[in-house]
Amino acid sequence: MAPPKHISGVSVIITTLILLVTCCHCATYQQQFMGPQNAVRARLRLKPLKWDAKLARYAQWWANQRRRDCALIHSNGPYGENLFWGSGKSWSPAQAAYGWLSEARSYNYRSNSCKAEMCGHYTQIVWKNTQRIGCAHVICNGGGGVFLACNYDPPGNFLGRKPY
């Protein structure tokens, strides 16, 4: 026996709402990672990074590997990679992106070098040939903090070459 039409209509509406909320959450999550990075790329007249599901799965796989210890160890995979760790549980993707982008103050384009601080996260973000990004985060076990990873393809940071 088929369900009454009003119930099937309600089911369709509920399913649609769930999909919209899920998609909106994904879009917001992606935008938190990509928004700040693409804003800086736009200021440098570079093409925006596009979200890539394969890179996001790779980033999630690596984040899951680091869930136990939250160690800032790179995956040494085929992609460019930025990692972030913060204590507590409330670090957002945007905060990680802004942290990486803050390294711009250490980068000297003329000499293609960093001052005293690290700047490789920044240069990966603004690497001209990089086109795609995928990111993920995990809450680390035992209150170990938050681990965030972004992977970039094609990778950047080739020795002796300027990012843009």
Side-chain angles (χ1 to χ4, degrees):
M1 178 183 223
K5 288 187 181 202
H6 73 281
I7 292 179
S8 63
V10 169
S11 297
V12 169
I13 291 170
I14 291 171
T15 302
T16 303
L17 287 173
I18 289 170
L19 287 172
L20 284 172
V21 169
T22 303
C23 291
C24 289
H25 168 73
C26 290
T28 302
Y29 178 77
Q30 292 171 9
Q31 190 55 34
Q32 283 190 42
F33 276 118
M34 292 188 343
Q37 295 181 65
N38 279 336
V40 168
R41 289 179 66 88
R43 282 196 292 275
L44 295 171
R45 296 188 182 109
L46 300 171
K47 291 181 181 178
L49 299 172
K50 294 184 179 179
W51 190 261
D52 185 281
K54 180 180 175 183
L55 292 173
R57 283 190 301 275
Y58 184 86
Q60 189 64 60
W61 168 78
W62 187 244
N64 288 337
Q65 303 305 304
R66 301 276 42 104
R67 185 186 302 268
R68 282 170 289 173
D69 61 10
C70 235
L72 291 173
I73 298 170
H74 284 279
S75 68
N76 295 318
Y79 309 115
E81 187 170 71
N82 283 348
L83 304 177
F84 177 92
W85 173 84
S87 63
K89 294 181 181 180
S90 62
W91 292 92
S92 73
Q95 288 172 306
Y98 285 121
W100 297 325
L101 290 167
S102 72
E103 294 177 1
R105 68 178 174 264
S106 297
Y107 179 65
N108 183 315
Y109 183 82
R110 195 175 188 154
S111 65
N112 192 32
S113 64
C114 300
K115 293 178 186 169
E117 298 173 29
M118 194 180 329
C119 67
H121 299 102
Y122 167 73
T123 55
Q124 173 57 77
I125 291 168
V126 298
W127 200 263
K128 182 179 184 174
N129 294 336
T130 298
Q131 300 169 12
R132 293 172 298 283
I133 184 175
C135 305
H137 81 283
V138 294
I139 306 291
C140 297
N141 295 345
V146 177
F147 181 91
L148 298 104
C150 283
N151 289 97
Y152 302 84
D153 192 47
N157 287 343
F158 292 101
L159 199 58
R161 291 178 42 195
K162 290 184 177 182
Y164 52 89

